[in-house]
Structures are given as structure tokens and as C-alpha cells.
Amino acid sequence: MKIANLKITSQGFQFVDKQGKSLSLNVAIGKIINRFFSYFLDFELMLLNYVGHIPIHFLRHSIYRLSGLQLHPSSTIHTGARFFNPRRIKIGEDTIIGYRAFLDGRAPLTIGSHVDIASEVMIYNSEHDVHSTDMKAIEEPVKIEDYVFIGPRVIIMPGVTVGKGAVIAGGAVVTKDVPPGSIVGGVPAKVIGERRLRKFNYHLGRPRLFQ
């Protein structure tokens, strides 16, 4: 007889993992604690999803900061944003993040200053190891340096660094580091040009109200 992760044998109770492999008591207790932490995080993320639709920047950002997200006072996240573990996300000054962005925080995610991120951009820093027998997760940090522009519906994959002043064209899937000042596009993203601007000192300005 087997109930979820607990197997009942003639020798008594035995903990098993999702693959049916036996677990020691200490390992099983650690997994149980992690499972309850995951439940709490899932509940928190559900609440943040609702918070993301509050059409008042100050109130929305205040709650984000209470959740552990490191957001500079001069930066803005527009409505509809979704997160995984906001405590590992850091956003610099004068940065604007567009409508319905997805920001992964399962590994460190660092977004610099004066970064313009368009609507529905997805930034991931965790993925499954498709060569592993148990499809284990691989987590790698993502870094977006200053003065980067990211077009709408871009997907940035784990382990990527986007160099200062780079531009990512809309719809691109970024799987490798992006050189500073370059323009990349396509699936997978490749260098398609260079930005003529060499010195960056602009400010993005006021975000859209009620969004």
C-alpha cells in the first residue's frame, strides 16, 4: 500500500520520493519542510498577483517591497506583473518595467538603472535539466545591466547577462549573453546591429499613470 510519499510495508512506514526511491527520515523531514515553504510561497505569489492589478503605483510598489522585492523608489513596475520569489529580485533606479512582465526570482535577478522593459517580457532563471532522470531544476542568475532596452514579448533564459546599453528586439528569445551596445533579435537571438549611441546619460521619465 502507498499513500502519496509514504509507503506502508511489512517492516513499517517508509518515506519515498516522487520517483518511488526510499528516503531517510532526515531527508524526508527536510523535504516536508520545503514543501510547506513552497505552499506559503505559492499563497504569497497568488496575493501578489492580485496586488499587481492595483492601479496606484505607490500602493502597489509598497506591497512589493514588503514582500522582499528590492525596488528603487524612482523605478516603476506597471500592472499585471508576476513573480517567482521576489526576495531575490533587485531593480535599480529610473527603470520602467512594462505591463504583464514576468520576473523570476528563484535565482538572483538583477536589473540595473535606466532600463526600459516593454510589455509581456518574461525573464527566467530556472529551467528543467532535460537530460536528468528526474528532470531536476537548474537555477542560474540573470543580470540586466544599465540602459538596456528590451522590446515586447522577449524571453530571457537562465544564466544570461545583457550588457550595458544593449537593445533586444521584440519577440526575441535570448539564450546567450548579449554584448554591451549591441542590437539582437530573432529566435534564438543573434546580433543584428550596433547601437550608435556610445555614452549613456538619459532618464526614462514619468511612467504611465493608472497602469
Side-chain angles (χ1 to χ4, degrees):
M1 180 179 178
K2 182 179 177 182
I3 304 174
N5 296 107
L6 185 66
K7 182 188 294 184
I8 303 175
T9 67
S10 57
Q11 286 77 35
F13 295 101
Q14 186 177 42
F15 289 102
V16 296
D17 64 11
K18 61 183 179 181
Q19 309 297 332
K21 297 178 181 178
S22 298
L23 300 173
S24 68
L25 180 60
N26 288 339
V27 172
I29 290 173
K31 286 183 173 291
I32 291 169
I33 293 172
N34 287 338
R35 179 69 58 85
F36 278 105
F37 175 78
S38 295
Y39 290 154
F40 173 79
L41 180 59
D42 288 343
F43 181 73
E44 180 185 24
L45 295 177
M46 179 195 70
L47 295 179
L48 287 179
N49 179 39
Y50 292 124
V51 169
H53 295 281
I54 297 173
I56 303 171
H57 292 298
F58 173 77
L59 180 57
R60 189 169 65 244
H61 294 165
S62 295
I63 298 173
Y64 286 161
R65 292 186 185 97
L66 287 174
S67 73
L69 190 147
Q70 301 174 63
L71 176 65
H72 192 277
S74 64
S75 293
T76 298
I77 300 175
H78 283 116
T79 54
R82 302 292 295 266
F83 306 94
F84 269 150
N85 198 354
R87 294 168 184 82
R88 305 181 80 179
I89 300 172
K90 183 178 181 180
I91 301 171
E93 66 177 298
D94 183 46
T95 286
I96 297 178
I97 295 175
Y99 171 69
R100 291 183 64 183
F102 173 78
L103 306 178
D104 199 343
R106 287 172 287 187
L109 169 57
T110 304
I111 299 174
S113 299
H114 317 289
V115 174
D116 192 351
I117 297 179
S119 298
E120 298 185 336
V121 168
M122 295 184 286
I123 303 176
Y124 288 92
N125 49 35
S126 180
E127 60 184 337
H128 289 288
D129 182 357
V130 297
H131 303 295
S132 171
T133 56
D134 59 357
M135 286 285 285
K136 66 180 180 181
I138 302 173
E139 297 179 351
E140 297 180 280
V142 170
K143 184 177 183 181
I144 313 296
E145 296 186 349
D146 299 344
Y147 295 102
V148 167
F149 173 78
I150 302 175
R153 296 192 172 182
V154 166
I155 300 174
I156 297 177
M157 299 303 291
V160 165
T161 294
V162 181
K164 181 178 179 179
V167 174
I168 303 175
V173 177
V174 183
T175 61
K176 298 180 179 179
D177 290 352
V178 177
S182 64
I183 301 173
V184 302
V187 181
K190 297 179 180 179
V191 176
I192 58 176
E194 293 289 331
R195 200 170 179 182
R196 289 193 293 270
L197 187 64
R198 297 300 180 186
K199 293 184 179 180
F200 305 99
N201 58 7
Y202 57 79
H203 284 71
L204 297 177
R206 181 180 65 83
R208 298 184 69 86
L209 294 176
F210 313 114
Q211 293 189 30

